[in-house]
Amino acid sequence: MTRARPFAAPALALVAAIALASAPVRSQERNAPTAAAAPALLIADDVTLDGDRSLTATGNVEAVFDGQRLKARSITYDRSTDQLKITGPLTLYDGDYTTVLADEGQLDRDMRNGILTGARLVMDDQLQLAANQISRTDGRYSQLYKAAVTSCRVCNEGDTPLWQIRARRVIHDAETRQLFLDGAQFRVGNLPIAYFPRLRLPDPTVERLTGFLTPSLYNSSLLGFGVKVPYFIRIGDHKDLTLTPYYTNKTRTLEFRYRQEFTTGGIEFEGAISDDDLQRRDRRAYIFGRGVFSLPQDYVLRFDIEAVKDDAYLVDYGYSDKDRLDSEISVERVRRDEWRRAALTYFHTLRDGENNSTLPTSVGNLDYEKRYFPKRMGGELRFAGQLHGHYRTSSVTTDGPDLDRFADGRDVARLTASADWLRSWTMAGGLRTTFQTGVAVDHIEVRGAAATSSSEYSEATPSAALTMRYPLAKTTARGTVHMIEPVVQLAWVGGSTPNIANDESTRNEFDEGNLLSLSRFAAADRRERGLSAVWGLNWTRFAPGGLRSTLSLGQIVREQAQLEATGTESFSLSSGLQGSTSDLLIAGQIATQNGLTLTARSLFNEMFDTTKAEARASWSNAALDLGATYIWLPNDPLEERGGTVSEWAFDASYRLSRHWTGSAEWRYDVASDENVKAGVGITYTNECVDVSLSASRRFTSSTILEPSTDISLTVGLRGFSARAEDKSYVRECKK
């Protein structure tokens, strides 16, 4: 017998590795035509060899074999039985996410079979299984007797976890990554809540496994008190189905979600079918779907489907706040110098007072844009084309009371093609000059038009513009950078306004994004014409600490106002573009280094009265996510707005402490002095439980809607779902 000195550990590790590797293989492996396993590695302070029969390692012992790592106080290897006798406390790291802690144990040479006593199985540092004894079989199955399962952290010996599952036996299958429990009892503290003769649960590394998901309790003033119990069905590696029965004393609902991934894309559908007592006899249903696919030659196919059986269903059940649904299929390709897109869209209105037959519900668009950079003439050539058409199911050729600017059955087709040349120069002193010229050709055909407008129109529209910018920059002694850029544009657009009803350009905006556009109409069925001049000023400030401020001013001066063939204004009052001189545009933003952003935009008339205003404030950091929005729009008959719109919207989420997060939302109609919607919520999260309680109130009502209050409670057990990446919710034990 030989005793080794501590300083000779590396050499002894090599000796031990050779000794273990030379041990005979098990009988069932003796004739297997597989490659020899990698040699084991043993490191210890002292290693004792008893002839060729046994090897004993003591003091900081560590054994590594086939992806497993064992740490213990001592290990004795008996060659005759091919067994390891381990004296603990011991730690066995099995793969990337499983750790076994035990008092002592006996394993075979490969550490795949054996018994561990006084053991705990820790999975992904998230789920703990404690038992009197763990039996390992083939490195795949771990069988625990008289076991307790929990993901709650217990800091003191003898403390009771917030929740636990006690079972007569638990088997963990490392290959399927599932837990099988016999005689399982669910406890909150020491209080038994439920008993399950058989129970199957996923371990923390499983992302998709058939079974029940976290249930939720709901109480609605419309739908009553009930529960949702989602059931997830894993159909394959790339598709799944979730069915969620929702049952109350007033509704019987089945919700669903189907997902599938393909080699070139994926689809997702969600919907529900309900049989309720809300004064409706027919079953109610909705379906939303979407998909994206890659096609050859860089094309992308997209589609979305939105359909509902009755107008109030989405709001009654809280599925969506949309009041106009759109279903679309499109094929698109975007390259550096080219854009192609073809799309068919179907609209369906849910708004009270709107009729789908008199709205352009079917819309088709075919778009193309291309850029060239000719070397001989310099600059950039742009070519564009669009084919547009929309269709109404109504055949009425007169105006009805719902939309007094439209013929109720009018259908429109439009073909537009344009060619433009742009070139920029930098003049002496840094003056940046851009010249643009081009021509656009429009052809419009109208069917079902009122007698006061033409049924066909064709015209070529030439245009030219000269834009000059003079950027100036200054850096102060403290490192603050100021950039000021005055901008002037002189433009001319030929042609005349057609005697065609305005069917597309009914909602026009004026902002810093289209200040220098030659036409600010929303579509090409209308164009700004004549001479015009634009002036603008951009100022930007960068502070060394990260504070950034921007301010933009701009205004348009025209030779004459933009009028329809009938002599009325083409632009609405609230667009800010009426008359020969537009409203003054003022827009600005302030962004700080701590996540606070303030953005505002407003239009002012010649008396400096506000004609449109909007503002947004947001503050986002590790603990707070806050947003507030204000909008003000005046009464505008051309935009079918019979009264002033003045509205606040507020939403916030704040992490009150390590485990508590609060949320709130509020929408208030200032013009009518009425609340629109309000809601609050509170969530408690730690390493083993996630509890959410929320309440919301919708105050609006109509002929198809009535106010409602909803309360929901969801309690989820953490540790059985996919691994949690955010560890900030885990409780800390005080030392």
Side-chain angles (χ1 to χ4, degrees):
M1 183 178 292
T2 305
R3 185 167 183 82
R5 292 173 293 178
F7 66 82
L12 292 172
L14 179 60
V15 173
I18 296 173
L20 289 176
S22 62
V25 297
R26 290 172 291 178
S27 59
Q28 62 266 34
E29 295 175 340
R30 191 165 292 146
N31 298 321
T34 57
L41 177 64
L42 178 66
I43 301 175
D45 291 340
D46 291 285
V47 177
T48 302
L49 298 174
D50 185 4
D52 60 353
R53 293 178 302 171
S54 66
L55 178 150
T56 301
T58 59
N60 298 314
V61 182
E62 184 170 348
V64 180
F65 178 73
D66 195 23
Q68 301 174 96
R69 185 157 55 98
L70 174 65
K71 291 183 177 181
R73 190 168 62 186
S74 70
I75 296 178
T76 299
Y77 171 65
D78 189 334
R79 180 167 183 168
S80 62
T81 61
D82 208 16
Q83 296 287 318
L84 298 173
K85 184 177 180 181
I86 308 160
T87 302
L90 66 90
T91 303
L92 174 61
Y93 301 96
D94 188 1
D96 295 331
Y97 73 96
T98 301
T99 303
V100 182
L101 308 173
D103 295 334
E104 59 182 10
Q106 186 169 334
L107 300 172
D108 66 358
R109 183 197 60 174
D110 296 339
M111 296 185 287
R112 295 170 56 85
N113 299 274
I115 297 176
L116 302 170
T117 58
R120 279 194 304 141
L121 188 65
V122 182
M123 298 181 182
D124 201 37
D125 197 25
Q126 188 169 325
L127 186 67
Q128 303 178 49
L129 297 84
N132 293 333
Q133 178 180 300
I134 295 180
S135 299
R136 290 172 57 85
T137 305
D138 296 333
R140 173 177 175 178
Y141 300 103
S142 296
Q143 189 168 208
L144 295 80
Y145 299 93
K146 295 182 179 180
V149 182
T150 186
S151 59
C152 299
R153 174 164 291 189
V154 178
C155 296
N156 300 316
E157 189 73 25
D159 285 355
T160 302
L162 179 61
W163 67 263
Q164 60 179 315
I165 300 175
R166 290 189 173 273
R168 184 176 65 257
R169 183 179 66 165
V170 178
I171 297 176
H172 176 242
D173 187 340
E175 184 173 308
T176 62
R177 296 181 292 174
Q178 297 184 57
L179 297 168
F180 301 89
L181 293 81
D182 294 337
Q185 186 184 80
F186 178 74
R187 295 186 177 188
V188 176
N190 281 321
L191 180 64
I193 299 298
Y195 176 79
F196 305 93
R198 297 287 188 273
L199 187 62
R200 178 176 58 85
L201 298 169
D203 77 19
T205 64
V206 175
E207 296 183 0
R208 300 171 65 251
L209 181 68
T210 299
F212 288 100
L213 304 179
T214 303
S216 301
L217 297 176
Y218 287 86
N219 186 32
S220 169
S221 60
L222 285 179
L223 304 174
F225 178 79
V227 60
K228 288 185 179 182
V229 185
Y231 187 76
F232 179 83
I233 303 172
R234 181 182 179 273
I235 302 175
D237 291 339
H238 307 291
K239 53 186 174 182
D240 55 58
L241 173 67
T242 303
L243 299 176
T244 306
Y246 176 29
Y247 183 82
T248 75
N249 58 329
K250 295 183 179 180
T251 182
R252 280 68 61 195
T253 297
L254 179 63
E255 302 172 357
F256 70 88
R257 184 192 67 179
Y258 177 80
R259 302 183 302 178
Q260 184 169 355
E261 290 291 332
F262 300 89
T263 304
T264 59
I267 60 174
E268 180 175 350
F269 289 88
E270 61 184 34
I273 182 170
S274 299
D275 186 1
D276 58 37
D277 301 332
L278 301 183
Q279 299 179 356
R280 296 173 176 86
R281 296 181 180 178
D282 296 335
R283 283 187 173 88
R284 313 172 72 186
Y286 91 97
I287 185 170
F288 283 2
R290 63 199 65 86
V292 179
F293 292 91
S294 298
L295 301 179
Q297 301 182 20
D298 300 328
Y299 284 98
V300 177
L301 170 68
R302 293 182 175 90
F303 75 85
D304 73 272
I305 298 172
E306 296 178 350
V308 66
K309 195 172 181 182
D310 69 76
D311 294 350
Y313 184 53
L314 297 177
V315 177
D316 282 348
Y317 283 76
Y319 293 135
S320 175
D321 291 330
K322 296 189 70 170
D323 57 4
R324 279 179 177 168
L325 305 183
D326 58 273
S327 300
E328 182 177 87
I329 182 171
S330 67
V331 177
E332 184 178 31
R333 185 175 76 179
V334 180
R335 291 180 173 175
R336 182 181 182 274
D337 298 320
E338 184 186 56
W339 175 56
R340 300 180 181 186
R341 185 174 187 268
L344 292 174
T345 310
Y346 178 79
F347 293 95
H348 178 83
T349 182
L350 307 179
R351 295 182 182 182
D352 189 21
E354 288 189 347
N355 188 342
N356 281 290
S357 66
T358 59
L359 293 177
T361 52
S362 300
V363 179
N365 284 289
L366 185 63
D367 296 276
Y368 176 79
E369 290 187 13
K370 180 70 175 178
R371 299 192 308 168
Y372 295 95
F373 300 90
K375 294 183 179 180
R376 290 187 177 182
M377 62 186 304
E380 175 185 343
L381 281 173
R382 295 180 182 177
F383 297 96
Q386 183 183 56
L387 178 62
H388 168 87
H390 57 260
Y391 171 77
R392 294 176 172 89
T393 58
S394 172
S395 59
V396 178
T397 58
T398 57
D399 294 339
D402 54 341
L403 298 169
D404 55 3
R405 292 185 64 205
F406 301 93
D408 284 350
R410 183 169 60 240
D411 306 319
V412 177
R414 174 175 54 82
L415 175 63
T416 297
S418 64
D420 295 278
W421 178 67
L422 301 87
R423 185 167 183 179
S424 299
W425 299 268
T426 301
M427 314 295 285
L431 179 66
R432 185 69 173 170
T433 303
T434 300
F435 177 73
Q436 173 183 350
T437 185
V439 62
V441 178
D442 302 302
H443 177 75
I444 303 174
E445 293 187 2
V446 182
R447 296 293 179 265
T452 55
S453 64
S454 302
S455 60
E456 189 172 328
Y457 161 79
S458 298
E459 184 162 358
T461 303
S463 62
L466 179 66
T467 305
M468 293 172 286
R469 305 170 181 267
Y470 195 53
L472 303 169
K474 176 184 178 181
T475 303
T476 66
R478 296 185 177 182
T480 301
V481 178
H482 294 268
M483 296 185 64
I484 298 177
E485 184 186 58
V487 179
V488 176
Q489 182 190 73
L490 300 175
W492 170 81
V493 179
S496 58
T497 302
N499 184 25
I500 295 290
N502 188 353
D503 227 24
E504 298 181 71
S505 299
T506 59
R507 303 292 187 273
N508 304 295
E509 299 289 336
F510 177 36
D511 54 38
E512 59 271 37
N514 62 10
L515 178 65
L516 299 177
S517 298
L518 298 187
S519 180
R520 295 159 193 88
F521 285 105
D525 64 336
R526 289 290 185 281
R527 296 183 183 276
E528 293 185 58
R529 304 181 188 275
L531 290 171
S532 65
V534 176
W535 68 268
L537 180 68
N538 298 316
W539 168 73
T540 306
R541 178 183 182 271
F542 298 95
L547 177 66
R548 179 175 59 86
S549 307
T550 62
L551 178 66
S552 298
L553 306 175
Q555 195 171 32
I556 307 165
V557 180
R558 305 187 188 89
E559 179 185 18
Q560 58 187 8
Q562 302 299 300
L563 303 178
E564 293 290 306
T566 58
T568 60
E569 286 273 1
S570 295
F571 288 111
S572 64
L573 174 65
S574 58
S575 69
L577 295 167
Q578 276 195 356
S580 59
T581 302
S582 74
D583 293 346
L584 174 64
L585 167 68
I586 301 180
Q589 184 182 80
I590 299 175
T592 66
Q593 61 272 25
N594 63 354
L596 177 63
T597 303
L598 303 174
T599 304
R601 180 186 296 112
S602 187
L603 299 176
F604 299 91
N605 61 20
E606 66 276 5
M607 304 299 294
F608 213 72
D609 294 328
T610 305
T611 55
K612 180 184 291 186
E614 58 181 324
R616 170 73 178 175
S618 62
W619 191 6
S620 181
N621 54 42
L624 177 67
D625 205 343
L626 172 67
T629 304
Y630 176 75
I631 185 170
W632 185 88
L633 297 171
N635 171 28
D636 194 338
L638 286 182
E639 295 189 0
E640 300 165 15
R641 190 166 50 250
T644 300
V645 173
S646 179
E647 212 171 83
W648 277 100
F650 169 87
D651 60 271
S653 174
Y654 180 63
R655 191 162 176 178
L656 304 169
S657 63
R658 175 187 289 271
H659 304 295
W660 291 94
T661 302
S663 61
E665 62 172 337
W666 177 52
R667 187 176 165 192
Y668 179 70
D669 189 339
V670 181
S672 59
D673 192 21
E674 292 180 349
N675 290 304
V676 178
K677 187 177 182 181
V680 294
I682 188 75
T683 300
Y684 176 82
T685 305
N686 63 22
E687 74 283 355
C688 66
V689 70
D690 195 335
V691 182
S692 297
L693 176 65
S694 64
S696 63
R697 172 71 175 173
R698 179 172 49 80
F699 298 90
T700 56
S701 62
S702 67
T703 57
I704 61 173
L705 296 175
E706 59 180 277
S708 64
T709 301
D710 299 287
I711 300 173
S712 68
L713 173 65
T714 303
V715 180
L717 302 182
R718 294 164 64 90
F720 295 111
S721 57
R723 56 170 60 104
E725 301 295 338
D726 188 355
K727 303 295 184 181
S728 64
Y729 293 101
V730 178
R731 289 176 293 178
E732 295 180 348
C733 296
K734 297 181 180 179
K735 297 182 179 179

